[in-house]
Amino acid sequence: MMQRFKTKSIYSLFFTLIILFLASLQAKAMSKQEKQLLRLIPQKSELSQWHMTYEPRFFDEENLFEYINGAADLYIMYGFRLVVTADYAVGADSSSVNVEIYAMKSPLHAFGIYAAERSPDEAPAEIGVQGYIGANVLNFYKGPYYIKITSFALSEDLSGMLKQMGQYIADQIKGEYKEPEMLQRFPRQDLVERSERFIPTNFLGQSYLSNGYRCDYYTEKSGTYQLFLIPFKKELDAEEAFDLYKKFLLETNRPHRFDKAVGYQRILVYGSDQYDFAFCSGAFIGGATGTACPDAIKNKMQELGRNLE
Amino acid sequence: MEKKGMERREFLFKSSLGIATAGLALPLTQSIAQEEKKSPTLIYRTLGRTGLSIPVVSFGVMNSDSPDLMKRALEKGVKHLDTAFGYLNGNSEKTIGSVVKEMGLRDQVFIASKVWLARDRDKHVYTPEDIGRMPGATLKNFNDQLELSLERLQTDYVDIYYLHACASKEMVNYEPMMESLLQAKKAGKARFVGVSTHTNVAEVIRAAVDAKIYDVLAVAFNFWRNDKDEVGEAIEYAHSHGVGIIAMKTQGGRRRDANIAVNHTAALKWVLSHEGVSTTIPGMTTFDQLDLNFSVMANLELDEQEKKDLKLSALDVGSLCRSCRRCIPTCPHRVEIPNLMRAHMYADAYGNLSQAEWTLHSLPEKQGLQACRSCSVCSATCVQGLKIGRNVQSLKRQFVLLA
């Protein structure tokens, strides 16, 4: 009896030590990620005219809500990992500037959240892979990071100062990064600049569609409509998802045309005021939504399809 | 249409887009139309003294910038769209603006937005100075945000304008913000004004009612909140004073522990079982969620299975500390309260006393249960309403030697 008790105690101790060891590894991993983020922002005198006024703070998935309130849900949906935020004073009038660097799951997810918050109306800024500058903000992404630099004092040289900080951070992020490759497959003509999106979940409002790409197009004749593309790992996965999407389209739209052949399917439907078009080709689902004029998408569909070859 | 043997390119790009030749009235395939999904009859409630009559399910447009989803929601009968200045960096407001304008529904849809200005996050008070990327809580910044929201929404007015995420009675009663809201109302830019709250919800509701200027409150309310009874009573207090209540986070949002299964329609019905709740604004990003949420209007009564599901989920989550650590500053000894709560959960919920004891032993003496010796009454508070004092007493009783 005593022997059994001792054996049990040894096992318990051993188990506890393993848990503590794993917990310490986890703690180290987190601090490593924090250190990585810290290295991206100026700490002391790396940038003339800038000095830190509020020490860096970190928020992870558990407490992001405390920092950005309801927007946290969206960031988490886009693969949020960790954010560092710090305040600086800059320039002769010591304008206050806030810097945030969001570490995301991957460069694609960083693009996704950047694009979700981007506005086509803002002026592009050549910092990082892509960025834009507004009256008091500079936002860009590079690698797995989404960077937001915000000021509330509108000094004359604010734009230059925001760019200076942005460039410093972009330079600290090592490696060559480009826009997501899949976006190259979208036709360029009539594309609304800076409307490209990557949406990791619930694409087109469908829980079974993930990791989709979408771009806006505009012509006077057709107004604004969207083309979309969803890559799948296997053709069978694409076909299954297409069946569900087709069912969804037919639930509330009038079928206008449906064709099927080996490996290819397409459907055109008409709702209350717009056409929706979708095709399944190999391991891709693509299509157009929101167009009042199916003529307008004819060439676009041809080009999109050619680009999948 | 037989296409076997045809080349992919030929299929997709030669024949396919004979779309242009197809007439609307002449579907080329056999009809595969299905009967349109029928929506249940809508159930309306009146939003307090605003007099607005709204279906009990509305749309929290927090994370959805899908125009198609929003259109479908409006077609199904949604009358109230809730957004905020900061959602999707303004893209949420822009999408609402363009969809509502395109559908010509501005006079039939009630739009709510929220102003987000600087606050001290620890003390829960507004500050006139900028903090980080939050502009100071001043009349000018208030008006700047309101104007930009109206521009994005392509409208001259919002139906409800909230102070976003008030967490204390001090924030509710902050005069510069109250004055700003009243001016916006007087100028016709906000028909009604209110506050939204996720933290210290019961306190904020009562303070807002007593402040007398607020018409509507958007409050986080769901069946597994530890403070649900207090919040429920506060909601009734608001209801009895004619202040409209809109419930949010009804199904818990992302903060809910992911491993706890929730019957979503049951959760929504539970919230709506409170008469004081006029409508709910579940965040929706899929058409399925929209249909599911609308389905509760077929019958608002919780059936036996739904009651059972809620009870199980509540048992799972009821005694959980979220480890936000915001209780620690409220304790004079800075005790490691989240770990004490964890020990309490092991002991009470799981009956695992050895795990509880091990957890207590692992804490530094000055921050463990020993530090609670000197306090006969616990002054620590939990923003989620967890009964810290009661749980500490329970630990003291069970682990006398440690305490």
Side-chain angles (χ1 to χ4, degrees), chain B residues 261-281:
Chain B
V262 171
N263 179 331
H264 285 269
T265 50
L268 195 53
K269 284 182 181 182
W270 181 88
V271 170
L272 287 166
S273 69
H274 296 76
E275 263 185 50
V277 174
S278 299
T279 189
T280 54
I281 45 172

Side-chain angles (χ1 to χ4, degrees), chain A residues 49 90-91 93 153-164:
Chain A
Q49 287 196 301
V90 61
D93 58 354
L154 297 171
S155 62
E156 274 183 21
D157 192 31
L158 181 63
S159 162
M161 289 192 276
L162 294 179
K163 283 180 183 169
Q164 186 192 20

Side-chain angles (χ1 to χ4, degrees), chain A residues 133-174:
Chain A
I133 190 156
N136 65 333
V137 297
L138 168 65
N139 292 353
F140 68 96
Y141 78 99
K142 184 177 179 186
Y145 303 108
Y146 173 35
I147 295 97
K148 300 168 81 167
I149 306 172
T150 311
S151 167
F152 289 98
L154 297 171
S155 62
E156 274 183 21
D157 192 31
L158 181 63
S159 162
M161 289 192 276
L162 294 179
K163 283 180 183 169
Q164 186 192 20
M165 174 60 90
Q167 195 58 59
Y168 175 86
I169 294 169
D171 290 344
Q172 306 311 305
I173 302 169
K174 304 301 177 196

